[in-house]
Amino acid sequence: MKSQGVAISMVYPILKTVVQKGFDSEQFCNYASFDGSLLQDVEARISGEELERLTIAAAHFTKDTHFGLHQGQIMEFADMGILGYVMMHSQTVVDALAAYQRYNVLLCSGFNLDWDVDGEDVRISMFLQHPGQGQMSRHCIEDMASSLFRLIGRLSNRVIPLLEVAFRHEATVDVTPYQPVFGRIPRFAANSNYLRFSKDVLQYPVLYSDAKLLSIFENIAQETRQELTQASRFTEQVIQWIRSCMPSYFPSLQQTADFLQMSSRTLQHKLKEENTTYNDLSIQVRKELAMGYLRKWEFSVGDIAYVLHFSEPSAFQNAFKKWTGLTPGQYRATIQSGQMRVNG
């Protein structure tokens, strides 16, 4: 998918941090040669490179060598706009993370996260790179790690003990500021950027969850995402095709290529241009359908495995646990407890 840039609202956390440190936001805009009038256009978007430039400029302006780290500490759901409200009213932490994956384009196209369950732990990896360019600045990745860790704690209203935090960049001269933020010193010069903690965190219910508000905010998020991605609709076309085939059959790459009247090689190339693969889209559709079916109590796990074209229920259960860190039964249990909490 081609980049739609970064929502202008992402500049506000930078300005908020600058002001909190006792500096004047207008003076900073002048220092950074940033046109503050852009903030008056709620639909304006800037490039990822520009956001990075402003973050680095703010670090120099405030003389805070850990500006990104500290900016993440004051991140609020309201700073994330409609995406923040979808996350805040999701039922569990893993639902909130999935919402971020789905709607991250609303904030910053090309900046995303993913998670992988390994034994008793879950590792959330953060991808903060401009397509075709090198790694982003230390301030930007530390901002995301710091804010993500903070927001997960706020979602669950629990203290989340971090087992590990790792960054690709080299360590700073002074590493002591990381201790109060993460509860530990990160591992630097790692192969990727990630947070690691107990997989149980994924199951934690969200404190503010409200099913009715979630429905309202998610509808808005879906409409906004559709508007932003109109210029790059091939991926959505493939997704809609896969969905339309279900539950009759689960289309293969070749069947999809035939439907779109192109070779499978051309299909793969077009998806690669939009930074995805047919396998990734197939998993996405199955995962979203599975979560929807599991919210309908009349469907058994075996029924869902059948309509999603898994060879057997155990194959579906293994796949769902790999996607979410939960078994289908555990996922349903979190939904039920969340509904009871809202109704109560």
PDB file of all heavy atoms in Angstrom, residues 209 211-212 336-344:
ATOM      1  N   SER A 209     -13.899  -0.573  28.364  1.00  0.00           N
ATOM      2  CA  SER A 209     -14.647  -1.192  27.267  1.00  0.00           C
ATOM      3  C   SER A 209     -16.143  -0.909  27.324  1.00  0.00           C
ATOM      4  O   SER A 209     -16.790  -1.068  28.355  1.00  0.00           O
ATOM      5  CB  SER A 209     -14.418  -2.711  27.292  1.00  0.00           C
ATOM      6  OG  SER A 209     -15.156  -3.344  26.280  1.00  0.00           O
ATOM      7  N   ALA A 211     -19.271  -1.722  24.554  1.00  0.00           N
ATOM      8  CA  ALA A 211     -19.599  -2.329  23.264  1.00  0.00           C
ATOM      9  C   ALA A 211     -20.324  -1.357  22.337  1.00  0.00           C
ATOM     10  O   ALA A 211     -20.069  -1.326  21.127  1.00  0.00           O
ATOM     11  CB  ALA A 211     -20.440  -3.582  23.481  1.00  0.00           C
ATOM     12  N   LYS A 212     -21.229  -0.551  22.875  1.00  0.00           N
ATOM     13  CA  LYS A 212     -21.987   0.381  22.041  1.00  0.00           C
ATOM     14  C   LYS A 212     -21.084   1.471  21.478  1.00  0.00           C
ATOM     15  O   LYS A 212     -21.157   1.815  20.290  1.00  0.00           O
ATOM     16  CB  LYS A 212     -23.125   1.002  22.848  1.00  0.00           C
ATOM     17  CG  LYS A 212     -24.222   0.011  23.219  1.00  0.00           C
ATOM     18  CD  LYS A 212     -25.340   0.694  23.992  1.00  0.00           C
ATOM     19  CE  LYS A 212     -26.436  -0.309  24.364  1.00  0.00           C
ATOM     20  NZ  LYS A 212     -27.517   0.328  25.153  1.00  0.00           N
ATOM     21  N   GLN A 336     -17.280 -12.751  26.976  1.00  0.00           N
ATOM     22  CA  GLN A 336     -18.401 -12.916  27.892  1.00  0.00           C
ATOM     23  C   GLN A 336     -18.204 -12.108  29.157  1.00  0.00           C
ATOM     24  O   GLN A 336     -19.126 -11.434  29.639  1.00  0.00           O
ATOM     25  CB  GLN A 336     -18.591 -14.398  28.240  1.00  0.00           C
ATOM     26  CG  GLN A 336     -19.872 -14.694  29.025  1.00  0.00           C
ATOM     27  CD  GLN A 336     -20.120 -16.187  29.159  1.00  0.00           C
ATOM     28  OE1 GLN A 336     -19.180 -16.973  29.253  1.00  0.00           O
ATOM     29  NE2 GLN A 336     -21.375 -16.586  29.163  1.00  0.00           N
ATOM     30  N   SER A 337     -16.967 -12.128  29.698  1.00  0.00           N
ATOM     31  CA  SER A 337     -16.722 -11.368  30.931  1.00  0.00           C
ATOM     32  C   SER A 337     -16.833  -9.880  30.661  1.00  0.00           C
ATOM     33  O   SER A 337     -17.311  -9.126  31.495  1.00  0.00           O
ATOM     34  CB  SER A 337     -15.335 -11.704  31.482  1.00  0.00           C
ATOM     35  OG  SER A 337     -14.321 -11.295  30.578  1.00  0.00           O
ATOM     36  N   GLY A 338     -16.416  -9.455  29.454  1.00  0.00           N
ATOM     37  CA  GLY A 338     -16.532  -8.046  29.108  1.00  0.00           C
ATOM     38  C   GLY A 338     -17.981  -7.601  28.984  1.00  0.00           C
ATOM     39  O   GLY A 338     -18.362  -6.538  29.438  1.00  0.00           O
ATOM     40  N   GLN A 339     -18.821  -8.447  28.379  1.00  0.00           N
ATOM     41  CA  GLN A 339     -20.246  -8.129  28.240  1.00  0.00           C
ATOM     42  C   GLN A 339     -20.934  -8.062  29.598  1.00  0.00           C
ATOM     43  O   GLN A 339     -21.760  -7.207  29.858  1.00  0.00           O
ATOM     44  CB  GLN A 339     -20.923  -9.166  27.344  1.00  0.00           C
ATOM     45  CG  GLN A 339     -20.514  -9.057  25.887  1.00  0.00           C
ATOM     46  CD  GLN A 339     -21.132 -10.152  25.020  1.00  0.00           C
ATOM     47  OE1 GLN A 339     -21.560 -11.186  25.536  1.00  0.00           O
ATOM     48  NE2 GLN A 339     -21.163  -9.919  23.726  1.00  0.00           N
ATOM     49  N   MET A 340     -20.566  -8.992  30.467  1.00  0.00           N
ATOM     50  CA  MET A 340     -21.147  -9.002  31.810  1.00  0.00           C
ATOM     51  C   MET A 340     -20.782  -7.732  32.562  1.00  0.00           C
ATOM     52  O   MET A 340     -21.580  -7.159  33.280  1.00  0.00           O
ATOM     53  CB  MET A 340     -20.666 -10.234  32.580  1.00  0.00           C
ATOM     54  CG  MET A 340     -21.237 -11.553  32.051  1.00  0.00           C
ATOM     55  SD  MET A 340     -20.524 -12.990  32.887  1.00  0.00           S
ATOM     56  CE  MET A 340     -21.075 -12.711  34.560  1.00  0.00           C
ATOM     57  N   ARG A 341     -19.522  -7.266  32.338  1.00  0.00           N
ATOM     58  CA  ARG A 341     -19.052  -6.070  33.023  1.00  0.00           C
ATOM     59  C   ARG A 341     -19.798  -4.836  32.526  1.00  0.00           C
ATOM     60  O   ARG A 341     -20.187  -3.971  33.298  1.00  0.00           O
ATOM     61  CB  ARG A 341     -17.544  -5.915  32.789  1.00  0.00           C
ATOM     62  CG  ARG A 341     -16.881  -4.894  33.663  1.00  0.00           C
ATOM     63  CD  ARG A 341     -15.367  -5.004  33.556  1.00  0.00           C
ATOM     64  NE  ARG A 341     -14.914  -4.758  32.206  1.00  0.00           N
ATOM     65  CZ  ARG A 341     -14.474  -5.678  31.370  1.00  0.00           C
ATOM     66  NH1 ARG A 341     -14.445  -6.941  31.747  1.00  0.00           N
ATOM     67  NH2 ARG A 341     -14.061  -5.364  30.159  1.00  0.00           N
ATOM     68  N   VAL A 342     -20.020  -4.777  31.170  1.00  0.00           N
ATOM     69  CA  VAL A 342     -20.738  -3.632  30.605  1.00  0.00           C
ATOM     70  C   VAL A 342     -22.192  -3.648  31.063  1.00  0.00           C
ATOM     71  O   VAL A 342     -22.737  -2.626  31.475  1.00  0.00           O
ATOM     72  CB  VAL A 342     -20.660  -3.679  29.057  1.00  0.00           C
ATOM     73  CG1 VAL A 342     -21.599  -2.645  28.464  1.00  0.00           C
ATOM     74  CG2 VAL A 342     -19.228  -3.431  28.589  1.00  0.00           C
ATOM     75  N   ASN A 343     -22.838  -4.800  30.975  1.00  0.00           N
ATOM     76  CA  ASN A 343     -24.239  -4.897  31.362  1.00  0.00           C
ATOM     77  C   ASN A 343     -24.446  -4.684  32.844  1.00  0.00           C
ATOM     78  O   ASN A 343     -25.498  -4.211  33.284  1.00  0.00           O
ATOM     79  CB  ASN A 343     -24.800  -6.260  30.960  1.00  0.00           C
ATOM     80  CG  ASN A 343     -24.830  -6.445  29.458  1.00  0.00           C
ATOM     81  OD1 ASN A 343     -24.905  -5.476  28.712  1.00  0.00           O
ATOM     82  ND2 ASN A 343     -24.770  -7.683  28.983  1.00  0.00           N
ATOM     83  N   GLY A 344     -23.438  -5.067  33.622  1.00  0.00           N
ATOM     84  CA  GLY A 344     -23.555  -4.909  35.066  1.00  0.00           C
ATOM     85  C   GLY A 344     -23.417  -3.473  35.486  1.00  0.00           C
ATOM     86  O   GLY A 344     -23.781  -3.079  36.562  1.00  0.00           O
TER      87      GLY A 344
END
